[in-house]
Amino acid sequence: MSLVRLNIKGISYSQTQNGAYALILNEVDGERKLPIVIGAFEAQSIAIALEKEIRPPRPLTHDLFKNFSDRFNITVKQVIIHKLVDGVFYSSLICERDNTEEVIDARTSDAIALALRFQAPIFTYKNILDKAGIYLKVNPEKENDSMHSDDVLSEDLVSNELENTSPKDSYKTKTLDELNQLLANAVMNEDYEKAAKIRDEISKR
């Protein structure tokens, strides 16, 4: 079975599942998206890894795993989303130490959080993408025609995820000094989702 490389398109809050987030993976050489529902902690950890300028005061679990692996010369070479059963994605970490390769089972959200920290590529098999991949279009009338019948997430859920990515709190009226202070407070309080939104507003300026 051929492998398809994926990258991270974004993370959005789920309005239909309390405390859940949708991680959207994008086919590198195509237009299909692979939505995966993940928990709040994992979403936070992935968001921190994506936001290079946000560093937690103490290492999170995935940071600890990275530090531990570095100390013992263990490298995560790649992540493979290798199975889909009843809407649950299964993944493997392909690790290497002393030229010996090992395969370790992992939750997909954890695997992707670690892939970001090791700068490792993310892959899935073509048959999984054929089954669970979707085409997200701006025009809702065309979206129905492009959606696959075996989508893991419903069209309504994915649409809600994409529509609710804007922050509830508006930072447009804040000065840069105020935004930087809010950013520092958010990081100190370990509210990394809020910190990422403030960081985005600062970047726009």
Side-chain angles (χ1 to χ4, degrees):
M1 291 183 289
S2 60
L3 288 172
V4 179
R5 186 164 180 175
L6 306 169
N7 57 25
I8 297 176
K9 182 71 174 177
I11 304 173
S12 58
Y13 183 71
S14 172
Q15 299 296 315
T16 58
Q17 298 188 41
N18 188 30
Y21 289 76
L23 171 66
I24 310 296
L25 301 177
N26 186 71
E27 182 182 15
V28 171
D29 296 320
E31 298 181 356
R32 286 178 293 184
K33 309 294 187 292
L34 190 66
I36 300 174
V37 175
I38 62 176
F41 172 78
E42 292 77 14
Q44 183 184 78
S45 182
I46 291 171
I48 290 170
L50 290 171
E51 292 286 340
K52 303 297 184 182
E53 297 183 28
I54 297 178
R55 294 186 179 182
R58 300 293 297 155
L60 301 179
T61 303
H62 298 110
D63 298 319
L64 176 61
F65 186 98
K66 175 65 164 61
N67 295 339
F68 180 89
S69 300
D70 288 344
R71 183 65 61 90
F72 291 96
N73 298 317
I74 301 169
T75 303
V76 174
K77 305 295 291 184
Q78 62 183 11
V79 165
I80 299 177
I81 303 172
H82 63 84
K83 188 168 64 173
L84 173 61
V85 178
D86 296 330
V88 178
F89 292 91
Y90 293 77
S91 295
S92 296
L93 300 172
I94 312 301
C95 304
E96 184 179 83
R97 181 174 184 268
D98 296 335
N99 296 320
T100 300
E101 190 174 278
E102 298 286 347
V103 179
I104 300 176
D105 182 43
R107 295 188 306 169
T108 297
S109 54
D110 290 329
I112 291 174
L114 291 173
L116 286 169
R117 286 162 171 79
F118 283 91
Q119 297 183 343
I122 303 166
F123 295 94
T124 192
Y125 289 110
K126 183 179 181 298
N127 66 320
I128 293 178
L129 195 57
D130 289 341
K131 182 178 181 181
I134 61 175
Y135 291 90
L136 295 182
K137 301 292 185 180
V138 175
N139 188 340
E141 294 179 359
K142 295 181 179 179
E143 191 173 22
N144 289 334
D145 297 330
S146 62
M147 296 287 287
H148 195 285
S149 60
D150 291 328
D151 293 341
V152 176
L153 297 182
S154 69
E155 179 184 352
D156 290 339
L157 174 57
V158 174
S159 298
N160 287 338
E161 303 300 350
L162 297 180
E163 291 171 1
N164 288 284
T165 55
S166 59
K168 294 181 179 179
D169 300 322
S170 175
Y171 302 111
K172 294 181 180 179
T173 59
K174 303 291 186 182
T175 66
L176 277 176
D177 288 339
E178 290 173 332
L179 287 173
N180 283 311
Q181 184 60 50
L182 287 172
L183 177 61
N185 291 339
V187 173
M188 184 63 63
N189 294 328
E190 300 187 3
D191 188 351
Y192 302 113
E193 182 186 359
K194 181 178 179 180
K197 292 173 183 176
I198 299 172
R199 180 75 250 173
D200 288 344
E201 181 61 30
I202 292 174
S203 298
K204 291 178 184 177
R205 304 286 182 92

